[in-house]
Amino acid sequence: MTRYVALLRGVNVGGHRRVPMADLRRVLTELGYAEVKTLLQSGNAVFEAAEQPTADLVAAIEAKLVGEFGFAVDVMVRSGAELRAVVAANPLEVSDPVRFAVAFLSPAADPAVLDAVDPDSYAPDLLRVGEHELYMYFPNGLGKARLSPILTRKLGDKATVRNWNTVTKLLAMVE
């Protein structure tokens, strides 16, 4: 069995697109996954499943969620090893884990799209590109970030963001 992390995009924000975590745990269990645990109310789950391509897990989870809740939910899945690699590959100093975030991309962002973003023009925000992630630091907070709206427009629904505290807690759960 392999441990995985599922990251749901855009659920339980401002009372919209409600996915109660108890229901998420039930949905994942009904899909045959074991040791299902959730973190916070923002759509983070850790589970065990037979080793398989993450695209297969994404397809199964997304289909089950739309059937259960009546709306589509974008899901990103990383194996425990992949999440460990995300943390290990972090190219920036984490001076404040609440203001440091990782955008998990699905699929990997088009390099031409990211090349068109000049992160220096959005200082003091910082951005570094990983393999399938973006590492970002927002010294003034995510709500006041100059870079975040630009990335949202360029990446659309192909990313979900978690702060560093959440990423490291998920890593602890998956290990």
Side-chain angles (χ1 to χ4, degrees), residues 10-169:
V11 299
N12 303 336
V13 179
H16 302 289
R17 297 169 42 94
R18 297 256 322 127
V19 177
M21 294 302 97
D23 291 343
L24 177 59
R25 288 189 297 273
R26 179 183 47 75
V27 162
L28 295 174
T29 300
E30 288 174 0
L31 284 168
Y33 308 147
E35 300 297 321
V36 177
K37 295 178 179 81
T38 55
L39 176 67
L40 305 172
Q41 295 297 315
S42 54
N44 306 297
V46 173
F47 61 93
E48 288 185 359
E51 187 168 338
Q52 58 194 286
T54 55
D56 294 350
L57 294 165
V58 167
I61 295 168
E62 287 181 346
K64 183 80 169 165
L65 290 171
V66 77
E68 183 75 23
F69 297 104
F71 54 85
V73 177
D74 294 318
V75 178
M76 282 74 168
V77 173
R78 300 292 191 270
S79 70
E82 289 170 327
L83 187 61
R84 192 174 316 107
V86 166
V87 171
N90 174 20
L92 297 171
E93 178 185 342
V94 181
S95 57
D96 183 349
V98 173
R99 295 172 188 263
F100 189 87
V102 177
F104 293 87
L105 307 176
S106 177
D110 179 351
V113 170
L114 293 176
D115 286 345
V117 175
D118 177 14
D120 292 336
S121 65
Y122 299 99
D125 296 349
L126 297 176
L127 168 73
R128 296 294 182 273
V129 179
E131 189 170 339
H132 297 284
E133 301 77 31
L134 302 177
Y135 299 90
M136 303 171 292
Y137 177 62
F138 305 107
N140 298 320
L142 187 57
K144 295 180 182 177
R146 297 179 66 211
L147 182 58
S148 183
I150 302 302
L151 291 175
T152 300
R153 282 199 305 272
K154 292 195 177 285
L155 297 174
D157 63 358
K158 296 178 181 175
T160 189
V161 177
R162 300 296 187 273
N163 75 29
W164 194 250
N165 282 335
T166 300
V167 171
T168 56
K169 285 177 185 172

